[in-house]
mmCIF file of all heavy atoms in Angstrom:
data_model
loop_
_atom_site.group_PDB
_atom_site.id
_atom_site.type_symbol
_atom_site.label_atom_id
_atom_site.label_comp_id
_atom_site.label_asym_id
_atom_site.label_seq_id
_atom_site.Cartn_x
_atom_site.Cartn_y
_atom_site.Cartn_z
ATOM 1 N N ILE A 1 72.551 11.816 78.488
ATOM 2 C CA ILE A 1 73.092 12.137 77.167
ATOM 3 C C ILE A 1 72.481 11.160 76.178
ATOM 4 O O ILE A 1 72.734 9.957 76.248
ATOM 5 C CB ILE A 1 74.630 12.032 77.148
ATOM 6 C CG1 ILE A 1 75.242 12.982 78.180
ATOM 7 C CG2 ILE A 1 75.166 12.339 75.747
ATOM 8 C CD1 ILE A 1 76.742 12.859 78.319
ATOM 9 N N LEU A 2 71.663 11.660 75.294
ATOM 10 C CA LEU A 2 71.063 10.841 74.250
ATOM 11 C C LEU A 2 71.907 10.993 72.997
ATOM 12 O O LEU A 2 71.865 12.015 72.324
ATOM 13 C CB LEU A 2 69.622 11.278 73.977
ATOM 14 C CG LEU A 2 68.905 10.562 72.820
ATOM 15 C CD1 LEU A 2 68.815 9.061 73.070
ATOM 16 C CD2 LEU A 2 67.515 11.160 72.585
ATOM 17 N N GLU A 3 72.708 9.970 72.712
ATOM 18 C CA GLU A 3 73.594 10.003 71.554
ATOM 19 C C GLU A 3 72.980 9.155 70.442
ATOM 20 O O GLU A 3 72.673 7.988 70.648
ATOM 21 C CB GLU A 3 74.967 9.451 71.929
ATOM 22 C CG GLU A 3 75.953 9.436 70.768
ATOM 23 C CD GLU A 3 77.105 8.500 71.038
ATOM 24 O OE1 GLU A 3 77.993 8.876 71.833
ATOM 25 O OE2 GLU A 3 77.122 7.385 70.476
ATOM 26 N N VAL A 4 72.828 9.756 69.266
ATOM 27 C CA VAL A 4 72.168 9.074 68.160
ATOM 28 C C VAL A 4 73.022 9.146 66.898
ATOM 29 O O VAL A 4 73.429 10.229 66.470
ATOM 30 C CB VAL A 4 70.781 9.689 67.864
ATOM 31 C CG1 VAL A 4 70.053 8.860 66.814
ATOM 32 C CG2 VAL A 4 69.942 9.790 69.130
ATOM 33 N N GLY A 5 73.293 7.995 66.300
ATOM 34 C CA GLY A 5 73.903 7.953 64.975
ATOM 35 C C GLY A 5 75.347 8.382 64.891
ATOM 36 O O GLY A 5 75.792 8.829 63.835
ATOM 37 N N ALA A 6 76.097 8.248 65.974
ATOM 38 C CA ALA A 6 77.516 8.620 65.946
ATOM 39 C C ALA A 6 78.337 7.378 65.639
ATOM 40 O O ALA A 6 78.354 6.427 66.419
ATOM 41 C CB ALA A 6 77.937 9.221 67.282
ATOM 42 N N GLY A 7 79.020 7.387 64.500
ATOM 43 C CA GLY A 7 79.748 6.212 64.035
ATOM 44 C C GLY A 7 81.153 6.113 64.583
ATOM 45 O O GLY A 7 81.540 6.815 65.516
ATOM 46 N N GLY A 8 81.944 5.244 63.982
ATOM 47 C CA GLY A 8 83.235 4.913 64.545
ATOM 48 C C GLY A 8 84.448 5.435 63.821
ATOM 49 O O GLY A 8 85.558 5.332 64.338
ATOM 50 N N ASN A 9 84.286 6.000 62.643
ATOM 51 C CA ASN A 9 85.454 6.504 61.929
ATOM 52 C C ASN A 9 85.908 7.838 62.499
ATOM 53 O O ASN A 9 87.101 8.099 62.667
ATOM 54 C CB ASN A 9 85.150 6.634 60.444
ATOM 55 C CG ASN A 9 86.337 6.265 59.579
ATOM 56 O OD1 ASN A 9 87.442 6.128 60.072
ATOM 57 N ND2 ASN A 9 86.108 6.119 58.291
ATOM 58 N N VAL A 10 84.966 8.684 62.777
ATOM 59 C CA VAL A 10 85.220 9.915 63.526
ATOM 60 C C VAL A 10 84.524 9.761 64.856
ATOM 61 O O VAL A 10 83.309 9.653 64.913
ATOM 62 C CB VAL A 10 84.651 11.138 62.799
ATOM 63 C CG1 VAL A 10 84.830 12.393 63.637
ATOM 64 C CG2 VAL A 10 85.337 11.315 61.473
ATOM 65 N N THR A 11 85.280 9.732 65.925
ATOM 66 C CA THR A 11 84.697 9.459 67.232
ATOM 67 C C THR A 11 84.501 10.721 68.075
ATOM 68 O O THR A 11 84.383 10.654 69.293
ATOM 69 C CB THR A 11 85.571 8.456 68.001
ATOM 70 O OG1 THR A 11 86.900 8.986 68.120
ATOM 71 C CG2 THR A 11 85.623 7.117 67.277
ATOM 72 N N THR A 12 84.455 11.858 67.423
ATOM 73 C CA THR A 12 84.316 13.128 68.141
ATOM 74 C C THR A 12 83.099 13.124 69.051
ATOM 75 O O THR A 12 83.187 13.442 70.243
ATOM 76 C CB THR A 12 84.203 14.296 67.147
ATOM 77 O OG1 THR A 12 85.281 14.243 66.226
ATOM 78 C CG2 THR A 12 84.213 15.622 67.875
ATOM 79 N N VAL A 13 81.943 12.785 68.511
ATOM 80 C CA VAL A 13 80.704 12.818 69.291
ATOM 81 C C VAL A 13 80.711 11.723 70.351
ATOM 82 O O VAL A 13 80.333 11.955 71.509
ATOM 83 C CB VAL A 13 79.487 12.677 68.366
ATOM 84 C CG1 VAL A 13 78.200 12.541 69.177
ATOM 85 C CG2 VAL A 13 79.386 13.885 67.437
ATOM 86 N N ARG A 14 81.135 10.523 69.990
ATOM 87 C CA ARG A 14 81.167 9.417 70.944
ATOM 88 C C ARG A 14 82.104 9.740 72.115
ATOM 89 O O ARG A 14 81.788 9.463 73.278
ATOM 90 C CB ARG A 14 81.609 8.136 70.245
ATOM 91 C CG ARG A 14 80.643 7.659 69.163
ATOM 92 C CD ARG A 14 81.188 6.469 68.402
ATOM 93 N NE ARG A 14 81.208 5.265 69.196
ATOM 94 C CZ ARG A 14 80.257 4.328 69.188
ATOM 95 N NH1 ARG A 14 79.181 4.487 68.429
ATOM 96 N NH2 ARG A 14 80.368 3.253 69.937
ATOM 97 N N HIS A 15 83.246 10.322 71.809
ATOM 98 C CA HIS A 15 84.193 10.699 72.862
ATOM 99 C C HIS A 15 83.588 11.759 73.773
ATOM 100 O O HIS A 15 83.706 11.678 75.004
ATOM 101 C CB HIS A 15 85.487 11.206 72.236
ATOM 102 C CG HIS A 15 86.545 11.574 73.231
ATOM 103 N ND1 HIS A 15 86.626 12.826 73.796
ATOM 104 C CD2 HIS A 15 87.565 10.838 73.781
ATOM 105 C CE1 HIS A 15 87.647 12.869 74.636
ATOM 106 N NE2 HIS A 15 88.224 11.679 74.642
ATOM 107 N N GLU A 16 82.936 12.746 73.188
ATOM 108 C CA GLU A 16 82.306 13.797 73.987
ATOM 109 C C GLU A 16 81.255 13.216 74.917
ATOM 110 O O GLU A 16 81.169 13.589 76.099
ATOM 111 C CB GLU A 16 81.690 14.847 73.067
ATOM 112 C CG GLU A 16 81.071 16.047 73.785
ATOM 113 C CD GLU A 16 82.103 16.973 74.389
ATOM 114 O OE1 GLU A 16 83.312 16.807 74.113
ATOM 115 O OE2 GLU A 16 81.708 17.879 75.152
ATOM 116 N N SER A 17 80.452 12.309 74.394
ATOM 117 C CA SER A 17 79.380 11.720 75.191
ATOM 118 C C SER A 17 79.913 10.993 76.419
ATOM 119 O O SER A 17 79.341 11.078 77.511
ATOM 120 C CB SER A 17 78.572 10.733 74.342
ATOM 121 O OG SER A 17 77.936 11.372 73.262
ATOM 122 N N GLU A 18 81.006 10.275 76.265
ATOM 123 C CA GLU A 18 81.531 9.472 77.365
ATOM 124 C C GLU A 18 82.375 10.265 78.353
ATOM 125 O O GLU A 18 82.620 9.807 79.469
ATOM 126 C CB GLU A 18 82.338 8.292 76.821
ATOM 127 C CG GLU A 18 81.489 7.284 76.057
ATOM 128 C CD GLU A 18 82.228 5.982 75.742
ATOM 129 O OE1 GLU A 18 83.337 5.781 76.293
ATOM 130 O OE2 GLU A 18 81.706 5.177 74.951
ATOM 131 N N HIS A 19 82.821 11.462 77.946
ATOM 132 C CA HIS A 19 83.778 12.186 78.788
ATOM 133 C C HIS A 19 83.297 13.531 79.313
ATOM 134 O O HIS A 19 83.890 14.047 80.264
ATOM 135 C CB HIS A 19 85.088 12.406 78.012
ATOM 136 C CG HIS A 19 85.876 11.163 77.808
ATOM 137 N ND1 HIS A 19 85.610 10.286 76.778
ATOM 138 C CD2 HIS A 19 86.920 10.629 78.495
ATOM 139 C CE1 HIS A 19 86.461 9.269 76.838
ATOM 140 N NE2 HIS A 19 87.261 9.454 77.863
ATOM 141 N N VAL A 20 82.267 14.117 78.742
ATOM 142 C CA VAL A 20 81.953 15.508 79.065
ATOM 143 C C VAL A 20 81.626 15.706 80.547
ATOM 144 O O VAL A 20 82.018 16.716 81.141
ATOM 145 C CB VAL A 20 80.814 16.033 78.161
ATOM 146 C CG1 VAL A 20 79.533 15.232 78.325
ATOM 147 C CG2 VAL A 20 80.555 17.507 78.426
ATOM 148 N N PHE A 21 80.916 14.753 81.180
ATOM 149 C CA PHE A 21 80.599 14.888 82.607
ATOM 150 C C PHE A 21 81.168 13.729 83.430
ATOM 151 O O PHE A 21 80.738 13.489 84.550
ATOM 152 C CB PHE A 21 79.084 14.975 82.805
ATOM 153 C CG PHE A 21 78.475 16.196 82.188
ATOM 154 C CD1 PHE A 21 77.523 16.086 81.192
ATOM 155 C CD2 PHE A 21 78.861 17.465 82.593
ATOM 156 C CE1 PHE A 21 76.954 17.215 80.606
ATOM 157 C CE2 PHE A 21 78.313 18.600 82.017
ATOM 158 C CZ PHE A 21 77.360 18.482 81.019
ATOM 159 N N ARG A 22 82.132 13.041 82.856
ATOM 160 C CA ARG A 22 82.737 11.912 83.549
ATOM 161 C C ARG A 22 83.604 12.391 84.710
ATOM 162 O O ARG A 22 84.241 13.434 84.633
ATOM 163 C CB ARG A 22 83.593 11.120 82.545
ATOM 164 C CG ARG A 22 84.163 9.814 83.065
ATOM 165 C CD ARG A 22 84.854 9.105 81.913
ATOM 166 N NE ARG A 22 85.563 7.902 82.340
ATOM 167 C CZ ARG A 22 86.242 7.126 81.521
ATOM 168 N NH1 ARG A 22 86.313 7.425 80.224
ATOM 169 N NH2 ARG A 22 86.861 6.060 81.970
ATOM 170 N N ASN A 23 83.601 11.626 85.779
ATOM 171 C CA ASN A 23 84.430 11.896 86.967
ATOM 172 C C ASN A 23 84.053 13.170 87.700
ATOM 173 O O ASN A 23 84.879 13.762 88.399
ATOM 174 C CB ASN A 23 85.920 11.938 86.594
ATOM 175 C CG ASN A 23 86.435 10.591 86.135
ATOM 176 O OD1 ASN A 23 86.040 9.561 86.651
ATOM 177 N ND2 ASN A 23 87.318 10.601 85.135
ATOM 178 N N VAL A 24 82.810 13.610 87.543
ATOM 179 C CA VAL A 24 82.286 14.701 88.369
ATOM 180 C C VAL A 24 81.449 14.049 89.461
ATOM 181 O O VAL A 24 80.381 13.484 89.182
ATOM 182 C CB VAL A 24 81.432 15.681 87.545
ATOM 183 C CG1 VAL A 24 80.922 16.810 88.428
ATOM 184 C CG2 VAL A 24 82.237 16.236 86.373
#
């Protein structure tokens, strides 16, 4: 997952990156 330019006020993209395939 190449995540670019996702900031911290809205963490939608950052959350998706860390969780979408986690624990598989």
Side-chain angles (χ1 to χ4, degrees):
I1 301 175
L2 176 60
E3 179 198 284
V4 186
N9 217 348
V10 176
T11 57
T12 308
V13 173
R14 296 174 71 96
H15 182 273
E16 183 72 10
S17 297
E18 294 191 11
H19 289 83
V20 60
F21 296 119
R22 187 174 174 180
N23 294 323
V24 181

